[in-house]
Amino acid sequence: MIYKELVINNYDGLKAKAAASFVQVANQFDSQILIEFSNKKINAKSIMGLLSLGVKYGESIYVFANGKDEKEAVAALVELVDNNFGE
């Protein structure tokens, strides 16, 4: 299992479009991917779970991945966040 702290740099936070992009990327991998925020852990492949966290601009989340492609999964999610969700 590996993990990485990510700071959300999207002004809208992890809402609709950004959350959908995050879930879409997470679903490309076989590994289990979890997000921890404010003492809650949710499945990163669940749009409803991600939206329920209410992550805002400038807040940090932790992304945990466990599985055969865990490194690639975390790297792809880091790239997505670093590139401001493709905007």
Side-chain angles (χ1 to χ4, degrees):
M1 176 177 276
I2 64 170
Y3 72 95
K4 179 84 173 169
E5 180 180 11
L6 301 176
V7 177
I8 302 304
N9 55 9
N10 181 24
Y11 288 111
D12 290 332
L14 276 178
K15 294 198 171 116
K17 187 176 179 185
S21 296
F22 200 96
V23 169
Q24 185 177 20
V25 170
N27 275 304
Q28 295 175 3
F29 299 94
D30 291 328
S31 294
Q32 178 187 33
I33 305 170
L34 301 173
I35 296 174
E36 183 177 322
F37 176 74
S38 188
N39 292 324
K40 295 180 203 168
K41 273 191 182 173
I42 61 100
N43 180 352
K45 297 178 182 183
S46 165
I47 187 78
M48 295 306 291
L50 193 54
L51 291 172
S52 74
L53 293 177
V55 181
K56 296 180 178 84
Y57 171 78
E59 294 182 320
S60 295
I61 61 172
Y62 287 91
V63 176
F64 295 84
N66 188 27
K68 65 181 181 180
D69 55 0
E70 62 190 23
K71 290 178 184 169
E72 295 86 353
V74 170
L77 293 168
V78 166
E79 182 179 348
L80 178 70
V81 172
D82 285 350
N83 290 325
N84 203 22
F85 299 90
E87 292 182 6

